[in-house]
Amino acid sequence: MVGHEMQHGGEEHPPSTIRQYVMTGVILTVITVVELFLSYSSLPHGLMVSLLIGLSAVKFVIVVAIFMHLRFENGLLTRLFMFGLVLAACILLALVSLFWNDGTDAVGGIPAGQEQSAPKH
Amino acid sequence: MAAAHAETQHHTTTGIDNRKLLMWIFLASECLFFGSLISTYLIFRGDSIVGPLPADLLDIPLTSTSTFVLLMSSLTMVLAVFGAQHNRLGLMKGMLLATIVLGLVFLGFQVYEFRHFAHLGLNLGTNQFGASFYLLTGIHGTHVGVGVLYLASLLVASARRNGLGKEAALHVDIAGLYWHFVDIVWIVIFTLIYLIP
């Protein structure tokens, strides 16, 4: 046991009291309340979206790192999960940028503003 | 705690119990699954020709409440894992039960929301928003339902003599990973669907 502790002396350990987990839950709740107020605020759209995505990323990281103990686990698990997460983010960005910039998915396959020049059948 | 953990884990070349490794691989693949569903929603939600549209229906205060419920279920879940790892079986059972109840409350909110939207004219085939919204949130709700059954099976096993045995902490830990994943998916869905106009 002593040897085990010495071997892992430099590692971080998960929270050892219930109070630490409860405080993490309180922080998550506060962030959610802030998000709620932000969504009703009159901030510029771009700023609001950036803040909301940033706050939700903070919540995401807190849950994964502390509640799922990934911060304290073997690095292999972190790499595995990050691989799936980064791949998913790439898929999301690729699909969204592809379809949002594609005028041919407009109604009837005619890009907006070009309806009159299209041939009529 | 680490020593107690080591006793219950099989020796593997990675140093990680294979069952736990499998759950993390599964969760990584689930990232891709939900990433595709969220992409589909983002692409289709603005393309509806007929209403109702997101702005007509989405109720942020109601969903914020259900989000809070799911966040609290993550807290109770991690306390259940804490109880299992510290041989506090009473805490583990109580927190497992609390997590199940909170999961059911979340599902209740979702059923109410679906029925309300259907009453207002949004069904799976109404428009592209309806199709992608019900698909994404419905599949997430299904995951919550599976999680509730998973936790209920652990609770029943913990009530039986030698039901969970020496590996109780590992079983609850792995179930906790699944439950927290369902929570983080909802964190993303809540922000992208409900909060961002």
Side-chain angles (χ1 to χ4, degrees), chain A residues 38-72:
Chain A
L38 270 178
S39 71
Y40 282 111
S41 72
S42 54
L43 287 172
H45 183 75
L47 178 64
M48 187 174 73
V49 169
S50 305
L51 285 172
L52 285 173
I53 290 176
L55 286 172
S56 102
V58 170
K59 278 163 64 179
F60 189 100
V61 169
I62 289 175
V63 173
V64 172
I66 298 176
F67 281 0
M68 295 173 85
H69 296 159
L70 194 58
R71 186 180 169 194
F72 317 104

Coordinates of all heavy atoms in Angstrom, one line a residue, chain A residues 38-72:
Chain A
L38 N -28.4 34.8 -20.0 CA -27.7 35.2 -21.2 C -28.7 35.1 -22.4 O -28.8 35.9 -23.3 CB -26.5 34.4 -21.5 CG -25.2 34.9 -20.9 CD1 -24.0 34.0 -21.2 CD2 -24.8 36.3 -21.5
S39 N -29.4 33.9 -22.4 CA -30.3 33.7 -23.6 C -31.4 34.7 -23.7 O -32.0 34.9 -24.7 CB -30.9 32.3 -23.5 OG -31.8 32.2 -22.5
Y40 N -31.8 35.4 -22.5 CA -32.8 36.4 -22.6 C -32.2 37.8 -22.7 O -32.9 38.8 -22.7 CB -33.6 36.3 -21.3 CG -34.7 35.2 -21.3 CD1 -34.5 34.1 -20.4 CD2 -35.8 35.2 -22.1 CE1 -35.4 33.1 -20.5 CE2 -36.7 34.2 -22.2 CZ -36.5 33.1 -21.3 OH -37.4 32.1 -21.3
S41 N -30.9 37.9 -22.7 CA -30.2 39.2 -22.7 C -30.3 39.8 -24.1 O -30.6 39.2 -25.1 CB -28.8 39.1 -22.2 OG -28.0 38.5 -23.2
S42 N -30.0 41.1 -24.2 CA -30.0 41.8 -25.5 C -28.6 42.0 -26.0 O -28.3 42.9 -26.8 CB -30.7 43.2 -25.3 OG -30.0 43.9 -24.3
L43 N -27.7 41.0 -25.7 CA -26.4 41.1 -26.2 C -26.4 40.8 -27.7 O -27.3 40.2 -28.3 CB -25.5 40.0 -25.6 CG -25.1 40.2 -24.1 CD1 -24.4 39.0 -23.6 CD2 -24.1 41.4 -24.0
P44 N -25.4 41.3 -28.5 CA -25.3 41.0 -29.9 C -25.3 39.5 -30.1 O -24.7 38.8 -29.3 CB -23.9 41.6 -30.3 CG -23.6 42.7 -29.3 CD -24.3 42.2 -28.0
H45 N -25.9 39.1 -31.2 CA -26.1 37.6 -31.4 C -24.8 36.8 -31.4 O -24.7 35.8 -30.7 CB -26.8 37.4 -32.8 CG -27.1 36.0 -33.1 ND1 -28.1 35.3 -32.5 CD2 -26.5 35.1 -33.9 CE1 -28.1 34.1 -33.0 NE2 -27.1 33.9 -33.8
G46 N -23.7 37.4 -32.1 CA -22.5 36.7 -32.2 C -21.8 36.5 -30.8 O -21.3 35.4 -30.4
L47 N -21.9 37.6 -30.0 CA -21.3 37.5 -28.7 C -22.1 36.5 -27.8 O -21.5 35.7 -27.0 CB -21.3 38.9 -28.0 CG -20.8 39.0 -26.6 CD1 -19.3 38.7 -26.6 CD2 -21.0 40.4 -26.1
M48 N -23.4 36.6 -27.9 CA -24.2 35.7 -27.0 C -24.0 34.2 -27.4 O -23.8 33.4 -26.5 CB -25.7 36.0 -27.2 CG -26.6 35.3 -26.3 SD -28.3 35.8 -26.4 CE -28.8 35.1 -27.9
V49 N -23.9 33.9 -28.7 CA -23.7 32.5 -29.1 C -22.3 32.1 -28.6 O -22.2 31.0 -28.1 CB -23.8 32.4 -30.6 CG1 -23.3 31.1 -31.1 CG2 -25.2 32.6 -31.1
S50 N -21.3 33.0 -28.7 CA -20.0 32.6 -28.3 C -19.9 32.3 -26.8 O -19.4 31.3 -26.3 CB -19.0 33.7 -28.6 OG -19.0 34.0 -29.9
L51 N -20.6 33.2 -26.0 CA -20.6 33.0 -24.5 C -21.4 31.7 -24.2 O -20.9 31.0 -23.3 CB -21.3 34.2 -23.9 CG -20.5 35.5 -23.8 CD1 -21.3 36.6 -23.3 CD2 -19.3 35.3 -22.9
L52 N -22.5 31.5 -24.8 CA -23.3 30.3 -24.5 C -22.5 29.0 -24.8 O -22.5 28.0 -24.0 CB -24.6 30.3 -25.3 CG -25.7 31.2 -24.8 CD1 -26.9 31.3 -25.7 CD2 -26.1 30.8 -23.4
I53 N -21.8 29.0 -26.0 CA -21.1 27.8 -26.4 C -19.9 27.6 -25.4 O -19.6 26.5 -25.0 CB -20.6 27.9 -27.8 CG1 -21.8 27.7 -28.8 CG2 -19.6 26.8 -28.1 CD1 -21.5 27.9 -30.2
G54 N -19.3 28.8 -25.0 CA -18.1 28.7 -24.1 C -18.6 28.2 -22.7 O -17.9 27.3 -22.2
L55 N -19.7 28.6 -22.2 CA -20.2 28.2 -20.9 C -20.6 26.7 -20.9 O -20.3 26.0 -20.0 CB -21.4 29.0 -20.4 CG -21.0 30.5 -20.0 CD1 -22.2 31.3 -19.7 CD2 -20.1 30.4 -18.7
S56 N -21.2 26.3 -22.0 CA -21.6 24.9 -22.1 C -20.4 24.0 -22.3 O -20.3 22.9 -21.7 CB -22.6 24.7 -23.3 OG -22.0 24.1 -24.4
A57 N -19.3 24.5 -22.9 CA -18.0 23.8 -23.0 C -17.4 23.6 -21.6 O -16.9 22.6 -21.2 CB -17.1 24.5 -23.9
V58 N -17.5 24.7 -20.8 CA -17.0 24.6 -19.4 C -17.8 23.5 -18.6 O -17.2 22.7 -17.9 CB -17.1 26.0 -18.7 CG1 -16.8 25.9 -17.2 CG2 -16.2 27.0 -19.3
K59 N -19.1 23.5 -18.7 CA -19.9 22.5 -18.0 C -19.5 21.1 -18.5 O -19.4 20.2 -17.7 CB -21.4 22.7 -18.3 CG -22.0 23.8 -17.4 CD -23.3 24.3 -18.0 CE -24.4 23.3 -18.0 NZ -25.7 23.8 -18.5
F60 N -19.4 21.0 -19.8 CA -19.0 19.7 -20.4 C -17.7 19.2 -19.8 O -17.6 18.0 -19.3 CB -18.8 19.9 -21.9 CG -18.6 18.7 -22.7 CD1 -19.7 18.1 -23.4 CD2 -17.4 18.0 -22.8 CE1 -19.5 17.0 -24.2 CE2 -17.2 16.9 -23.6 CZ -18.3 16.4 -24.3
V61 N -16.7 20.1 -19.7 CA -15.4 19.7 -19.2 C -15.4 19.3 -17.7 O -14.8 18.4 -17.3 CB -14.3 20.8 -19.5 CG1 -13.0 20.6 -18.7 CG2 -14.1 21.0 -21.0
I62 N -16.2 20.1 -17.0 CA -16.3 19.8 -15.5 C -16.9 18.4 -15.3 O -16.4 17.7 -14.5 CB -17.2 20.9 -14.8 CG1 -16.4 22.2 -14.8 CG2 -17.6 20.5 -13.4 CD1 -17.3 23.4 -14.2
V63 N -18.0 18.1 -16.0 CA -18.6 16.8 -15.8 C -17.7 15.7 -16.2 O -17.5 14.7 -15.5 CB -20.0 16.7 -16.6 CG1 -20.5 15.3 -16.5 CG2 -21.0 17.7 -16.1
V64 N -17.0 15.9 -17.4 CA -16.1 14.8 -17.9 C -14.9 14.6 -16.9 O -14.5 13.5 -16.6 CB -15.7 15.1 -19.3 CG1 -14.6 14.1 -19.7 CG2 -16.9 15.0 -20.3
A65 N -14.3 15.8 -16.5 CA -13.1 15.7 -15.8 C -13.3 15.3 -14.3 O -12.6 14.4 -13.8 CB -12.4 17.1 -15.8
I66 N -14.4 15.8 -13.7 CA -14.6 15.5 -12.3 C -15.6 14.4 -12.0 O -15.3 13.5 -11.3 CB -15.0 16.8 -11.5 CG1 -13.8 17.8 -11.7 CG2 -15.3 16.6 -10.1 CD1 -14.1 19.2 -11.1
F67 N -16.8 14.5 -12.6 CA -17.8 13.5 -12.3 C -17.4 12.2 -13.0 O -17.7 11.1 -12.4 CB -19.2 14.0 -12.8 CG -19.9 15.0 -11.9 CD1 -19.3 15.4 -10.7 CD2 -21.1 15.5 -12.2 CE1 -19.9 16.3 -9.8 CE2 -21.8 16.4 -11.3 CZ -21.1 16.8 -10.2
M68 N -16.9 12.2 -14.2 CA -16.5 11.0 -14.9 C -15.1 10.6 -14.5 O -14.6 9.6 -15.0 CB -16.7 11.1 -16.4 CG -18.1 11.3 -16.8 SD -18.3 11.7 -18.6 CE -18.3 10.1 -19.3
H69 N -14.4 11.4 -13.7 CA -13.1 11.1 -13.2 C -12.0 11.0 -14.3 O -11.0 10.4 -14.1 CB -13.1 9.8 -12.3 CG -13.9 9.9 -11.1 ND1 -14.4 8.8 -10.4 CD2 -14.3 10.9 -10.4 CE1 -15.1 9.2 -9.4 NE2 -15.1 10.5 -9.4
L70 N -12.3 11.5 -15.5 CA -11.3 11.3 -16.6 C -10.0 12.0 -16.3 O -8.9 11.5 -16.7 CB -11.9 11.9 -17.9 CG -11.2 11.5 -19.1 CD1 -11.2 10.0 -19.3 CD2 -11.8 12.1 -20.4
R71 N -10.0 13.1 -15.5 CA -8.8 13.8 -15.1 C -7.9 12.9 -14.3 O -6.7 13.1 -14.3 CB -9.2 15.0 -14.3 CG -8.1 16.0 -14.0 CD -8.6 17.2 -13.2 NE -7.6 17.9 -12.6 CZ -7.7 18.8 -11.7 NH1 -8.9 19.1 -11.2 NH2 -6.7 19.5 -11.2
F72 N -8.5 12.0 -13.6 CA -7.7 11.2 -12.7 C -7.4 9.8 -13.2 O -6.8 8.9 -12.5 CB -8.4 11.0 -11.3 CG -9.0 12.3 -10.9 CD1 -10.3 12.6 -10.9 CD2 -8.2 13.3 -10.3 CE1 -10.9 13.8 -10.5 CE2 -8.7 14.5 -9.9 CZ -10.1 14.8 -10.0

